[in-house]
Amino acid sequence: MIDIDDGDYVACICEGHSEITIMNLLLGDDSLCFKREKLLNGEVLSTRYYRDSNLFCNRYLTMDYEGGRVVVLVIQDRKGVKYSIKNPYSEKVRFITYAITAPEVEMLMIHSLGYYEDYKKQKTKLKPSTYLSNKIKTKTATIKSKEFIQDFWLKHDLASAIKTHKQKAQKLGKDEIFLADLLAQKR
């Protein structure tokens, strides 16, 4: 779990639309270790801020956070890709951490449907979204759509799939965590 102080704000920047939908579902279920109220503008930030860190800096790090700092949380499927925040903006950032969904966030659906072992056995390494598309006979674009993702996770346990993914995935690098590390600790 990441350490967010009371005065901190969270910039949750997602690589793609699937990650945005997943994070919004987790926020809606109150499943994360932070609340929506902690987020800059109360929302998960779109992919344009992921693609352009200067846009993020100019939009959000020119503001005064009254002594608080910003925790930058980058949700991406690629390991080792770093998000760059230059001075003087970096002074407003408490830390940057990367929640890695490698190889793709659609792995969560594969875990949920019990297809993980079959996915690992395939001779030609398909991307998880392509594998899932073939398996459930649905277009890849449909699998990545907000409507499909929301409907899927209404029927399946997202938090359980996230925890399973952490158990099965490869180790991560410095400043990298799993989505499971963002889940609230249930009492």
Side-chain angles (χ1 to χ4, degrees):
M1 180 152 63
I2 62 172
D3 179 33
I4 299 174
D5 289 343
D6 288 340
D8 289 339
Y9 296 87
V10 177
C12 184
I13 304 171
C14 293
E15 178 180 13
H17 299 289
S18 296
E19 290 85 357
I20 291 169
T21 304
I22 294 292
M23 292 306 291
N24 277 320
L25 287 169
L26 292 169
L27 283 161
D29 288 344
D30 205 23
S31 296
L32 296 173
C33 62
F34 58 89
K35 307 282 185 231
R36 187 174 294 278
E37 296 78 38
K38 284 281 193 186
L39 293 174
L40 297 178
N41 283 353
E43 63 188 10
V44 175
L45 300 179
S46 72
T47 60
R48 66 183 171 158
Y49 296 109
Y50 176 80
R51 308 260 180 246
D52 186 352
S53 62
N54 289 327
L55 180 63
F56 169 72
C57 290
N58 291 333
R59 172 68 174 91
Y60 292 102
L61 297 181
T62 56
M63 302 167 77
D64 179 23
Y65 292 103
E66 301 168 3
R69 292 173 64 196
V70 178
V71 170
V72 178
L73 177 59
V74 180
I75 313 299
Q76 63 187 19
D77 59 24
R78 295 175 294 168
K79 297 177 185 178
V81 176
K82 299 302 178 192
Y83 196 73
S84 175
I85 298 181
K86 297 176 177 84
N87 286 325
Y89 303 116
S90 61
E91 295 172 8
K92 293 192 179 179
V93 174
R94 186 157 161 252
F95 62 85
I96 301 174
T97 196
Y98 304 87
I100 306 298
T101 62
E104 288 184 324
V105 75
E106 287 79 17
M107 276 306 291
L108 300 177
M109 292 179 187
I110 289 171
H111 288 301
S112 187
L113 293 170
Y115 294 154
Y116 180 74
E117 293 305 322
D118 184 59
Y119 172 76
K120 294 304 281 184
K121 288 179 193 173
Q122 66 177 332
K123 289 181 176 56
T124 58
K125 284 296 177 193
L126 299 174
K127 292 169 55 173
S129 54
T130 304
Y131 168 85
L132 194 58
S133 163
N134 294 340
K135 198 76 171 162
I136 65 173
K137 302 189 182 348
T138 303
K139 292 179 182 175
T140 303
T142 300
I143 289 170
K144 292 180 174 280
S145 73
K146 178 180 179 180
E147 294 78 18
F148 183 88
I149 295 167
Q150 288 175 326
D151 185 54
F152 184 91
W153 293 116
L154 280 175
K155 299 171 188 164
H156 298 87
D157 185 354
L158 178 56
S160 179
I162 288 170
K163 291 172 187 173
T164 299
H165 181 67
K166 179 178 180 177
Q167 293 170 351
K168 307 271 184 178
Q170 296 175 358
K171 294 193 186 289
L172 298 175
K174 184 179 188 279
D175 299 324
E176 294 177 338
I177 62 173
F178 291 99
L179 283 179
D181 299 317
L182 295 175
L183 294 176
Q185 301 297 316
K186 302 293 181 187
R187 296 173 208 260

